[in-house]
Amino acid sequence: MRLILKMKAEKFMPYSQVNRHTVQGFLYSLLQDTEFSELHNRKGFKFFTYSNIFPINDFFPDKEKTLIVSSPSKKLIEAFYEGLKDKNHIYLSDTPLKIVEVKIFSIKPTGKFITATPIVVQKKPGVYLSFEQGDTVELFLERIKENAIKKYNAFYNDELSLEEELFDLLKFHKEVAMILKKDDKEFTVIGSLWSLLQKRIPKGYIKFYRFILDCGLGEKNSLGFGFLNVIK
C-alpha cells in the first residue's frame, strides 16, 4: 500500500536542505501517539520505504512536489495518513510546505519493476556491495533475495523459501555513491539503479512480490532506499 503526498513551497528553498534523514524524521513524527510511535527505536526491519521528493530540483513557490511512502502494512500507511490529513502545512526544513493532496492507493506487481531509488546491499557493516569495485551481479542477486525472504518471513511470521532466482532479467542503469549526513557526521552509501528487474512470477508467489514492491529491495529501506515502481 502507498501514500502520496503532494505539496508546494511558499518560498524558495534549496533542494539540498532536505535529505533522507530529514524525510525519515518527518515520517516518524507523524507516528506520535499511535501504535507505531516507537517504530524508530525498534530493532530490525521497519517495513517501509519512500521515494525521492520529485521533481528533483529546488523548491520554488507554487511549484508542486511529490513524495510517495510505501509499506506492506496497511495500518502503518493509515497511521501516516491520519498524521497528515488534518494538516495544512508541513515542515521538512524551516520553510513551510503547503499540503495540496494526500491519499492512499495501491499498485499490483506486474513482474516488471524499475528502481526509483538505489538498492543498497552491505557485505558487512559499513562496507557496500559495489560493481565498480569488482562485486558481481550474482552476489547482488543472492543478497537481495536473502534479504527479501528474511523480511517477508519476519513480517508475516512465515517460512517461505524460493528456489529460483529473484529476477530472470535485469537491466543495469548505474551505480551511485551518496553522502548522508547525521548528527554532523558524514558517511557514504553505495547503491545501484536498475531500469528493469523482471520476473515471471511463480504460482503462489504473487504475495511475496507484492511485498517486495511495497517494502522495497535491499537494506536501509526506512531511509528511502530500494523504492520500486512497476512497469506496465
Side-chain angles (χ1 to χ4, degrees), residues 14 51 55 62 80-81 111 122 165 187 189-190 192-193 202 216 220:
S51 69
D62 296 323
F80 287 133
Y81 176 80
Q122 292 185 97
E165 294 285 2
F187 55 98
V189 172
I190 297 172
S192 57
L193 291 163
K220 298 187 179 295

Side-chain angles (χ1 to χ4, degrees), residues 50-204:
Y50 54 86
S51 69
N52 291 317
I53 296 175
F54 58 92
I56 302 177
N57 51 29
D58 290 336
F59 292 75
F60 292 94
D62 296 323
K63 295 295 184 180
E64 194 171 282
K65 295 283 190 186
T66 301
L67 173 70
I68 300 174
V69 186
S70 180
S71 174
S73 171
K74 180 181 178 182
K75 285 186 176 181
L76 179 56
I77 291 295
E78 289 175 343
F80 287 133
Y81 176 80
E82 290 295 321
L84 285 166
K85 69 175 185 177
D86 296 325
K87 294 183 183 296
N88 293 317
H89 295 82
I90 62 168
Y91 287 83
L92 296 177
S93 182
D94 57 358
T95 300
L97 300 170
K98 182 180 179 180
I99 293 178
V100 176
E101 180 182 23
V102 56
K103 68 178 182 180
I104 293 173
F105 68 105
S106 61
I107 56 177
K108 297 179 180 179
T110 62
K112 294 182 179 180
F113 307 89
I114 184 172
T115 55
T117 63
I119 299 173
V120 170
V121 177
Q122 292 185 97
K123 295 189 290 185
K124 60 182 181 179
V127 179
Y128 297 91
L129 186 147
S130 169
F131 303 118
E132 292 183 4
Q133 295 177 17
D135 292 317
T136 64
V137 173
E138 288 76 16
L139 178 61
F140 171 77
L141 282 170
E142 176 188 323
R143 290 298 181 87
I144 62 170
K145 174 182 170 181
E146 178 184 88
N147 177 266
I149 291 172
K150 188 175 180 179
K151 283 188 293 195
Y152 178 92
N153 287 334
F155 184 79
Y156 287 109
N157 192 26
D158 202 346
E159 296 182 358
L160 176 136
S161 62
L162 178 66
E163 298 301 321
E164 303 178 20
E165 294 285 2
L166 192 61
F167 298 108
D168 301 322
L169 177 65
L170 300 87
K171 291 184 179 179
F172 179 71
H173 178 47
K174 64 180 179 179
E175 181 169 292
V176 292
M178 300 146 287
I179 298 176
L180 302 187
K181 294 182 179 180
K182 185 178 182 182
D183 300 328
D184 296 324
K185 295 181 180 180
E186 292 187 351
F187 55 98
T188 301
V189 172
I190 297 172
S192 57
L193 291 163
W194 301 80
S195 55
L196 176 66
L197 298 167
Q198 182 172 316
K199 180 67 178 180
R200 184 186 291 264
I201 299 177
K203 184 178 179 180

Side-chain angles (χ1 to χ4, degrees), residues 203-220:
K203 184 178 179 180
Y205 281 83
I206 189 70
K207 182 179 176 181
F208 174 62
Y209 280 88
R210 183 189 294 272
F211 175 86
I212 288 173
L213 178 61
D214 286 338
C215 195
L217 273 177
E219 302 174 54
K220 298 187 179 295

